[in-house]
Amino acid sequence: MTDEEICAVGEVLRSGMLVHGTECAAFEERLANYIGVRHAVLVSSGTAALHVALMALDIGPGDAVIVPDFTFPATANVVELVGARPVLVDVGPSTYSITPDCIETALSRWSGNVTIRAIMPVHQFGCPADMTGIMEVAERNNLLVIEDAACALGGSHRGRTIGTFGNLTCFSFHPRKTITTGEGGLITTDDDLLASKLRQIRNHGIEYCDGQMDIVRAGLNYRMTDIQAAVGKAQLARLDGYIRKRRSLRQTYESLLRGSKLQLPALVDGHTWQTFMVILPDDMQRETVIRALREKGIESNLGAYAIHSLSYYRQRYADDCERFTYDSSDRLYRQGLALPLHPDLTVSQVQNIASALLEVFQEARI
Ligand SMILES: *Cc1c(COP(=O)(O)O)cnc(C)c1O
């Protein structure tokens, strides 16, 4: 956060207008321009964005939705919360994102009494999924596409900005993402009707007709505040610079760690590098490495979760494990290690982190 954000928040506080208002409208306009889409609809979190998106597309009981198994649990949770059935599928071993092949396999093996109606590709850690292939599969099978682009604001696929592919695309402004508003989320679409549904759902189901307020559906309060939007506007102006810095630091990591026993993430064009997650060799315990790095003053963590192995999903959908395999997701959940990566990190800090990691390997004689 810079003085710019602090001043912008001060102005909102002095104005006395705190909830969704002119700051949100201005931030929405800038986001729509930046992404190149007709509608940008701000909400209170990335999870709220996903929830509203499913509601607006009338996905609910009787529907199934394809969700990558390796993700942050919110992607699957919202499917549960609208009463639909998540169909968890494996991801690519080095992009960590869902692939058209994984989706085709799931479609061919699915035999539940609910029909698959939608795909929710996740651009994992900012790595753009193959939207060309995914949109083809979706069209062939008449499926809706709701992208979880929580980590991918500013990313692109084949030169086209993320947020312009699926029926709806959802973003997050949580502090772990490329830009932040504290908490916050966004949905983008080119569809006017869907956009007005999204706006109704985030605001109690309210619609104004001739200045008269009416409730046209049962909605929620998922509004962003003007305080948050003021922060977001200042952050958005620096997004491209942040991404450039992240890409350059990723390259530094790559040059220092290439040739080691670590498996490095695939280099995909348009990646925002929200997280830099490497894969530890199978004979190393991640907890041991995290502890050893912590002793050297370096923070590291797991990257994301294999959803099928978490209690709620394991108990509910045990039979899925007979139908599907989760080899990549299991490995990424067990051996994935997220290393520090943010725009204020210096090249020499990255050098220290890389040598500390290689030292840990030597100490373990790997
Ligand atoms: C962060 C994240 C979310 C949730 O976003 P919040 O703003 O924290 O609710 C959902 N999906 C993915 C892939 C994420 O990384």
Side-chain angles (χ1 to χ4, degrees), residues 42-284:
L42 286 168
V43 288
S44 50
S45 73
T47 306
L50 294 166
H51 192 195
V52 172
L54 293 180
M55 287 173 73
L57 292 167
D58 295 315
I59 291 171
D63 299 327
V65 180
I66 290 180
V67 174
D69 189 58
F70 185 68
T71 183
F72 185 71
T75 325
N77 285 347
V78 291
V79 177
E80 284 289 317
L81 288 170
V82 296
R85 162 70 146 100
V87 177
L88 301 168
V89 310
D90 207 4
V91 295
S94 59
T95 62
Y96 320 150
S97 283
I98 199 166
T99 67
D101 280 350
C102 298
I103 296 170
E104 297 267 25
T105 307
L107 287 168
S108 68
R109 291 192 193 159
W110 178 248
S111 59
N113 53 1
V114 286
T115 317
I116 295 181
R117 267 196 68 208
I119 312 172
M120 289 176 84
V122 177
H123 305 293
Q124 194 50 263
F125 304 143
C127 177
D130 174 6
M131 289 314 295
T132 310
I134 291 172
M135 294 310 289
E136 270 170 28
V137 178
E139 267 159 45
R140 219 178 315 121
N141 294 280
N142 199 21
L143 303 175
L144 297 163
V145 177
I146 304 113
E147 289 164 76
D148 181 346
C151 309
L153 184 67
S156 61
H157 166 72
R158 298 197 181 167
R160 194 169 136 193
T161 315
I162 297 295
T164 61
F165 290 92
N167 299 82
L168 295 170
T169 308
C170 303
F171 298 89
S172 164
F173 299 117
H174 180 273
R176 191 179 150 181
K177 319 301 178 182
T178 34
I179 61 168
T180 184
T181 57
E183 297 278 8
L186 172 75
I187 311 147
T188 59
T189 184
D190 275 326
D191 185 320
D192 298 345
L193 193 66
L194 268 180
S196 73
K197 270 174 119 176
L198 296 169
R199 295 198 162 100
Q200 286 163 1
I201 296 167
R202 87 170 158 194
N203 189 27
H204 305 291
I206 294 174
E207 194 56 66
Y208 289 92
C209 197
D210 301 326
Q212 279 290 100
M213 191 200 95
D214 196 8
I215 297 287
V216 295
R217 66 180 69 245
L220 294 151
N221 177 358
Y222 275 174
R223 296 182 307 250
M224 180 180 268
T225 67
D226 265 13
I227 306 166
Q228 293 165 312
V231 174
K233 264 168 58 192
Q235 291 258 303
L236 182 62
R238 294 201 300 275
L239 173 59
D240 287 342
Y242 285 162
I243 294 175
R244 266 197 303 277
K245 186 74 192 292
R246 285 173 174 276
R247 285 178 178 159
S248 143
L249 291 171
R250 192 251 7 137
Q251 210 168 359
T252 309
Y253 267 124
E254 168 97 24
S255 65
L256 295 164
L257 296 174
R258 198 187 295 133
S260 74
K261 290 282 170 84
L262 287 170
Q263 188 187 312
L264 301 177
L267 173 55
V268 175
D269 282 344
H271 202 314
T272 59
W273 299 102
Q274 176 260 354
T275 289
F276 183 72
M277 189 187 87
V278 299
I279 306 168
L280 295 170
D282 286 328
D283 50 3
M284 266 194 124

